[in-house]
Structure formats: structure tokens, C-alpha cells
Amino acid sequence: MDSTQPSPGSVTLQLVDGVSLLHPDDQVFVAMLDGWRNQQLARNLGFATVERRVDVVRAFTAYTNTFPWQWSAQLVDEWLGDLRSVRQLRRSTLRNYQTAVRLFCDFLTDPNYGWAAECERRFGTHPVQVVHEWNTAVHVQAAEGDPRKRALTLDELEAFFDAADDRVARIRKLGRKGWLPAYRDAVLFKVAYGYGLRRNEARMLDTADFGRNPHAPEFGSRGVCNVRFGKAMKGSPPKRRTVLTVWGWTVEVLAEWTEEIRPMLARPGNDALWPSERVARVGLQQMDARFAATRDELGLDRALDFHSLRRSYVTHLIEDGWDPLFVQQQAGHEHASTTAIYSCVSSDFRTRTLRQALDKTMKTALAAGERKR
């Protein structure tokens, strides 16, 4: 970028110099939000991330009934206290709200963008940073998710898949055409578990995203799953990774779906692996709703969600003795500590591991005693 040109989001790009404003308070605030939006987009942040942050700032402004050049740390305290006591938001959500307001204040108080000087000229005051270390929660743990979130046990997983299959049979027996979406959902759950996929990773799969693994020819043309819409990091594009097929049953359900059932649901030219009746691709809310319906039908813990399939994948591979580094690469985790958070190994697995270690220690000690004798 040319250093002589104003930065994206600066006041000179959002407000025309010398033009009187009919409603200066409202118009300057709107210009601030537009400038902040442009500044974030210039950093290649996702549109959804940018809009969520802008919505948080709007919500804080509406709650305080003040504009950014009138904000104070006390207003932040009152707002966050209300969110926690009345709306009972989770800690991670509150921290995201705090971060959004802090970043907005950083933007406004940065002299490179000129908003502080503009507010001083128009309103006789200027915005300041109102989110500090001493009035916000500190992120001290690696994992702060809902502690009720966990993997499904093997029995729960089998019951879940059976319930999804039974729903297909019930609908088809009644002669209703809704059995096709039900069949799609049942296979989607199995594939998401079979490859340890996140929601959007599973949703965005196309039929062409599977290929051969030369080191595992028994899986045929579905020995590899190419994930193209992995979780993005810090403004980067979606992260790609390759997940190897580890279970033969995954290939079987995929083959039956793509070759026999999917052509009856997908429109010509639609390559989405999970087509919908009205749109090209099934939606995230629809995936969540169908998972929740099957979960509730079985009376499982309501804290279990679609992501529990991914937790189950990591957990079951670890319990079956797969190498932790392999599991980490399959899941697409940057650090092994993240994989450790996902793995919810059962007490039986821990008991077996302890028993094996103790037996090995005892065997080594006995062998050493024999050598001495």
C-alpha cells in the first residue's frame, strides 16, 4: 500500500471534509462502523467474523445509549454484568464480546485512522479504550468449552446410527418421499464420524472430493477424503487437509449413497455430496436440527451436538491404539494439545492402559531378577 494514501477505514475515506451533517452523532457513528468494517476486510478477515463484531458494537451502543466518544469502563462493567446475570451467556461468548469492543476502541484511538481527532473537532471529546485487563476476564485455560460436551460412547454411537436408519425405514414404509433426505442425513452422520469432520467441512464436500490411497488399495476410489473447507486461522482462507479412510464400512455407505440413492435427490449438474430438496446443498441449521431430533429421540444428553461426532472419532481412534500423531494429522489440529482436548477417553481405556503399563513393569522386574539368579 502507498504510504501516502489513507489507510482503509480512515476518517478521510468515510466522511467528506467540509460537508455539514444533519445528524452528526448518528452519521459519524455509522461512518465509524463502516470504516472499521473496511479495515477488517482489508486484513482478509471473514465476512461473518466482521459482521458479528460489528453487531456486538451496535448492541453495546444500544445498551448504553451513548456513542463511542462517550464510553467509559464503567459502562462496560454494567453491560457485561447484565449479559452474565440476565442472559447467562457463556464465558467464551462474553470474552468474544469483550474482544470486539476492545478491537473497535483500538481502531478508533489509533491516530493513523484519524477518528479521535475528528471527534475532538466535532464533539469536543474523543474515544478512549474502555476494555482493560483489570475489567475483563482473562483467558487462562486452553479449553473453556461447555464441560458437558463429550464424545459418544460406542454403544451410544451405534444406537444413534440405528435410530437414523430406522427413521428412513419408517418414512419409506409410509410411502412418503421424505425418506431421501432422511437417508442423506443418516449417511452424513456416518461420514462425518468416519472422517472426523466439522459441520462445514462435511457440508461442503463434493462427490469429487474422494480419491484413491495407493497405500490402501482395499478402499478403492474412496481411500482419501480431501477436505477443502477446513477451519480458517487468523484471516487465512479455509484450511485444506487430506483425511485417510480408516474403516471399511465408511467406503460401503459412501458407495451406496453416491451410486444408488443420491442420483434420485440431486439435480443435474449439482456436485454437492449432500444435496437438498430446494437448494444445492444441505444447510448447517438443518444438519443441527436433524442431529438434535435423533439425539432427543434416544433420550441422550442434550449437550451432545453434531461436533460430538468429531470428538467421538478422535476418542475412538486413541482408544483403539492409533498413533496420537496420526490422529492429530487426521483431525487437522495444529498442536497435539488440541487433540488431547478432543479425546475423551473412557475409564475402561485408562484402566487398560494402566494395567498394561503395570504388567510391563512387573515383567521387566521379574526378568531382571531371573538374570541375577
Side-chain angles (χ1 to χ4, degrees):
M1 181 184 299
D2 188 349
S3 59
T4 62
Q5 298 296 321
S7 303
S10 63
V11 65
T12 56
L13 296 178
Q14 303 301 136
L15 294 174
V16 179
D17 190 28
V19 176
S20 300
L21 302 179
L22 185 61
H23 303 286
D25 290 343
D26 294 326
Q27 290 174 272
V28 169
F29 177 59
V30 171
M32 285 177 169
L33 290 179
D34 290 340
W36 189 42
R37 181 184 290 107
N38 293 336
Q39 183 254 3
Q40 294 181 89
L41 292 176
R43 294 165 50 203
N44 203 30
L45 296 181
F47 289 98
T49 299
V50 173
E51 291 306 318
R52 280 196 299 268
R53 290 177 175 177
V54 170
D55 289 343
V56 169
V57 171
R58 284 201 183 101
F60 179 53
T61 304
Y63 176 86
T64 60
N65 197 27
T66 59
F67 292 102
W69 50 91
Q70 301 166 327
W71 289 352
S72 66
Q74 182 182 1
L75 294 175
V76 175
D77 296 342
E78 295 175 358
W79 181 55
L80 295 177
D82 183 73
L83 290 176
R84 185 171 185 183
S85 60
V86 177
R87 296 181 56 186
Q88 298 181 349
L89 297 183
R90 296 175 181 172
R91 290 178 174 85
S92 57
T93 303
L94 286 174
R95 185 167 295 107
N96 288 335
Y97 285 12
Q98 295 168 0
T99 300
V101 176
R102 176 178 59 78
L103 292 175
F104 183 58
C105 290
D106 284 341
F107 166 72
L108 296 182
T109 55
D110 190 329
N112 291 322
Y113 300 103
W115 288 104
E118 182 69 15
C119 290
E120 188 72 40
R121 184 177 69 83
R122 289 182 180 272
F123 310 115
T125 184
H126 57 83
V128 297
Q129 180 59 264
V130 296
V131 180
H132 307 279
E133 183 178 353
W134 46 264
N135 71 338
T136 55
V138 179
H139 192 174
V140 295
Q141 294 191 88
E144 294 188 328
D146 189 340
R148 298 175 302 165
K149 304 288 187 183
R150 61 172 176 83
L152 289 88
T153 66
L154 287 173
D155 290 339
E156 289 174 337
L157 190 68
E158 183 177 358
F160 186 91
F161 289 159
D162 288 344
D165 291 337
D166 290 344
R167 181 172 181 270
V168 179
R170 290 197 308 268
I171 297 176
R172 194 169 187 177
K173 186 176 180 179
L174 294 174
R176 294 159 49 191
K177 73 171 187 176
W179 72 272
L180 285 173
Y183 195 107
R184 175 204 59 209
D185 296 337
V187 179
L188 195 161
F189 296 146
K190 295 172 185 175
V191 171
Y193 166 74
Y195 291 98
L197 303 178
R198 300 178 178 91
R199 285 189 316 160
N200 199 53
E201 292 174 350
R203 173 180 177 266
M204 297 304 294
L205 285 177
D206 285 349
T207 55
D209 287 332
F210 294 88
R212 295 183 178 275
N213 180 357
H215 302 289
E218 60 268 33
F219 294 135
S221 61
R222 297 178 178 87
V224 172
C225 175
N226 297 302
V227 177
R228 294 177 294 111
F229 288 85
K231 185 177 181 181
M233 298 176 59
K234 299 181 179 178
S236 65
K239 184 179 179 182
R240 303 174 68 109
R241 77 175 186 278
T242 298
V243 185
L244 305 182
T245 303
V246 296
W247 295 309
W249 61 262
T250 315
V251 175
E252 296 174 4
V253 298
L254 265 173
E256 185 177 14
W257 164 250
T258 55
E259 297 170 10
E260 301 178 23
I261 310 299
R262 181 186 170 278
M264 293 186 283
L265 184 61
R267 297 177 180 177
N270 181 10
D271 294 328
L273 185 60
W274 317 113
S276 183
E277 310 92 290
R278 298 178 181 84
V279 294
R281 201 179 297 271
V282 67
L284 295 176
Q285 292 183 346
Q286 188 175 358
M287 293 165 58
D288 288 339
R290 183 49 50 204
F291 182 95
T294 307
R295 175 201 64 200
D296 296 342
E297 178 183 339
L298 294 172
L300 297 176
D301 190 342
R302 293 179 63 85
L304 296 173
D305 55 12
F306 192 96
H307 204 73
S308 295
L309 297 173
R310 178 172 165 85
R311 298 187 188 95
S312 304
Y313 173 81
V314 173
T315 298
H316 297 161
L317 285 182
I318 294 294
E319 288 189 345
D320 286 344
W322 290 80
D323 184 89
L325 178 59
F326 173 81
V327 179
Q328 175 187 342
Q329 294 174 343
Q330 288 280 95
H333 290 151
E334 196 77 15
H335 306 287
S337 57
T338 308
T339 309
I341 294 171
Y342 271 69
S343 58
C344 315
V345 293
S346 65
S347 57
D348 290 341
F349 170 77
R350 298 172 65 186
T351 302
R352 291 197 305 270
T353 303
L354 176 62
R355 187 68 267 163
Q356 291 171 0
L358 293 176
D359 291 344
K360 183 178 180 180
T361 302
M362 182 63 68
K363 186 177 180 180
T364 302
L366 291 175
E370 284 293 331
R371 285 195 298 271
K372 285 183 178 180
R373 284 195 294 272

